[in-house]
Amino acid sequence: MDLISRVAENFSESAHLKLECMDALAGPIAAAAQRMVDCLKDDGKILACGNGGSAADAQHFSSELLNRFEKERPGLAAIALTTDSSTLTSIANDYAYEQVFSKQVRALGHASDLLLAISTSGNSPNVVAAIEAAHESGMQVVALTGRDGGTIGELIGENDVHICVPAQSTARIQEVHLLTIHCLCDAIDCLLLGVD
């Protein structure tokens, strides 16, 4: 096995997928950033959730807003629903793992808030439940998915934004999700602070 060639192939696949997605995803990403800025300007907050690598993406996004991205600015209201182990384990133990995010959305979310829901397959039951809870609370949703969008794609309403990476590989989808998160953070800063 030639590991150098294998590594090069991973780089090539990632780069090609990002370029293939650019035209299709630029519009939804821009729309999502505008919704997020409108939410923040309305004194709302962004709640983010996902599992595994998508949990890390939710935390990455909220940290970039709470602290800073590439420009100095005041912190922006964002909460990753993936970080409180006591809350997550108590809900999973007392109810079901499928409710670990939806119960938090119902407790913390308001109509002026927005949910960032991340699932590479689009089928994660706890992320689906979080979207349903967000809709019940009157919240808008920005969903990051992959493949065909799965169940989440079917739940997205006209006030929501769906950013779906048309790929099958979880790793490649997550790589585009990370780029999308950076694009969202950059666009939010540009809309709030202006462009240099």
Side-chain angles (χ1 to χ4, degrees), residues 32-40 46 61 114 116 142 184 188:
Q34 185 64 62
R35 302 279 175 94
M36 290 176 171
V37 166
D38 293 344
C39 164
L40 295 166
I46 300 171
F61 175 80
L114 183 145
L116 174 61
V142 170
L184 288 169
I188 288 167

Side-chain angles (χ1 to χ4, degrees), residues 4-194:
I4 292 174
S5 295
R6 190 171 180 89
V7 169
E9 184 179 337
N10 280 318
F11 269 81
S12 179
E13 286 178 5
S14 183
H16 280 99
L17 178 61
K18 288 170 184 167
L19 289 173
E20 288 170 14
C21 292
M22 182 174 59
D23 290 337
L25 299 186
I29 292 170
Q34 185 64 62
R35 302 279 175 94
M36 290 176 171
V37 166
D38 293 344
C39 164
L40 295 166
K41 284 184 171 180
D42 195 30
D43 289 326
K45 60 190 172 296
I46 300 171
L47 306 177
C49 67
N51 297 286
S54 298
D57 287 342
Q59 291 167 220
H60 187 146
F61 175 80
S62 67
S63 72
E64 302 283 22
L65 290 194
L66 283 165
N67 184 28
R68 63 184 288 277
F69 183 54
E70 292 188 327
K71 297 180 181 184
E72 293 298 329
R73 57 153 167 74
L76 302 172
I79 301 171
L81 303 179
T82 56
T83 60
D84 184 341
S85 60
S86 295
T87 295
L88 293 170
T89 56
S90 69
I91 294 169
N93 184 63
D94 295 347
Y95 297 94
Y97 189 71
E98 287 76 14
Q99 296 184 43
V100 294
F101 301 136
S102 59
K103 284 186 73 71
Q104 293 184 77
V105 168
R106 287 188 179 95
L108 301 172
H110 302 284
S112 60
D113 298 335
L114 183 145
L115 177 68
L116 174 61
I118 310 173
S119 169
T120 56
S121 68
N123 294 315
S124 303
N126 56 3
V127 178
V128 168
I131 292 171
E132 291 170 343
H135 285 158
E136 289 168 14
S137 300
M139 296 168 57
Q140 292 184 337
V141 174
V142 170
L144 299 186
T145 68
R147 302 182 183 132
D148 64 358
T151 304
I152 289 173
E154 298 168 8
L155 291 177
I156 295 301
E158 61 184 32
N159 293 322
D160 303 323
V161 179
H162 188 194
I163 301 167
C164 181
V165 179
Q168 296 300 313
S169 165
T170 297
R172 299 291 91 85
I173 294 166
Q174 289 177 338
E175 288 158 8
V176 177
H177 282 182
L178 179 57
L179 176 59
T180 298
I181 286 167
H182 285 162
C183 288
L184 288 169
C185 293
D186 176 67
I188 288 167
D189 280 1
C190 287
L191 289 167
L192 290 175
L193 304 173

